[in-house]
Amino acid sequence: ELDPILENIRNSTKDLGTAIRHCTNLLEADTLYTNLHADMHRTAKRLLLDYEITIEGEEHIAQLDKQTKIDLLLFYKECLVNISRHAEATHFSADLVAIPKSVTLTVSDNGQGFTGGTPPSLKRRARIIKATVSSAPVPGGGSCILLSLPVRKQTKKHPSQIKSTSCSLKISRNTGT
């Protein structure tokens, strides 16, 4: 009577071990997550939406450790999942700004917006990576998510070189895509 249950547990454990090995191999691969800009474009192309990605401070992004790059990409992907499932958007934009002390990711869309504040999935992911997240409606429709991630390694930068980012991005409705 217990044999089928034990066999199910054995098969589940075997499948879980395989999945864990696969994930570990992906995370340890030297060629993955080396170009955050390319990874963001590759992810965006899958949505078949009109999009823009701007990146400032690529020299600082290049200095981020691999885990931070992975965390940023996973947060970005979560934003895109929310856009594709719920927003009914035709366009989104992402701005990644890196300075020595922090990285800011802003993702905006021209969809129907959301009520109730920042989606729980984004709050959870931000909490995991020890970042802060906020959201705001975009005038004319849509939503804007702002992630601010402090960078552990701090180098000095002149205050005049620091650019602030906010959720006041201009979103153009492009329904021709």
Side-chain angles (χ1 to χ4, degrees):
E1 177 175 310
L2 289 176
D3 286 341
I5 295 171
L6 293 173
E7 184 65 27
N8 190 11
I9 292 170
R10 190 176 2 265
N11 289 337
S12 295
T13 303
K14 182 180 176 184
D15 292 344
L16 180 61
T18 301
I20 289 171
R21 276 190 300 284
H22 176 72
C23 289
T24 301
N25 290 340
L26 280 176
L27 292 174
E28 291 177 351
D30 290 335
T31 58
L32 292 175
Y33 309 109
T34 57
N35 186 336
L36 188 57
H37 194 196
D39 291 336
M40 290 174 74
H41 275 286
R42 194 172 23 262
T43 301
K45 285 180 185 178
R46 292 180 187 144
L47 288 181
L48 302 175
L49 290 177
D50 183 38
Y51 71 90
E52 296 171 43
I53 298 174
T54 59
I55 296 185
E56 292 182 37
E58 289 195 47
E59 66 277 11
H60 302 298
I61 293 169
Q63 294 174 2
L64 295 173
D65 63 67
K66 187 174 182 177
Q67 187 59 51
T68 301
K69 291 177 187 177
I70 292 169
D71 291 340
L72 285 168
L73 185 62
L74 290 175
F75 185 88
Y76 171 75
K77 284 182 176 183
E78 188 67 32
C79 288
L80 298 190
V81 165
N82 285 337
I83 290 170
S84 68
R85 288 185 183 166
H86 309 294
E88 298 179 13
T90 59
H91 176 87
F92 76 89
S93 65
D95 294 310
L96 184 62
V97 178
I99 60 174
K101 293 183 182 182
S102 69
V103 176
T104 303
L105 174 64
T106 307
V107 179
S108 299
D109 67 66
N110 68 348
Q112 64 184 6
F114 50 78
T115 58
T118 307
S121 61
L122 296 177
K123 286 181 182 178
R124 179 186 59 78
R125 190 160 293 282
R127 186 177 59 249
I128 289 170
I129 64 175
K130 294 178 177 58
T132 58
V133 65
S134 61
S135 61
V138 173
S143 302
C144 177
I145 300 293
L146 176 65
L147 177 82
S148 181
L149 177 66
V151 175
R152 288 175 189 90
K153 287 184 177 179
Q154 296 184 0
T155 60
K156 295 185 182 204
K157 184 162 186 142
H158 191 273
S160 66
Q161 295 175 302
I162 298 173
K163 178 187 174 201
S164 68
T165 305
S166 66
C167 281
S168 61
L169 296 175
K170 295 175 185 150
I171 300 295
S172 61
R173 289 197 180 262
N174 184 349
T175 57
T177 57

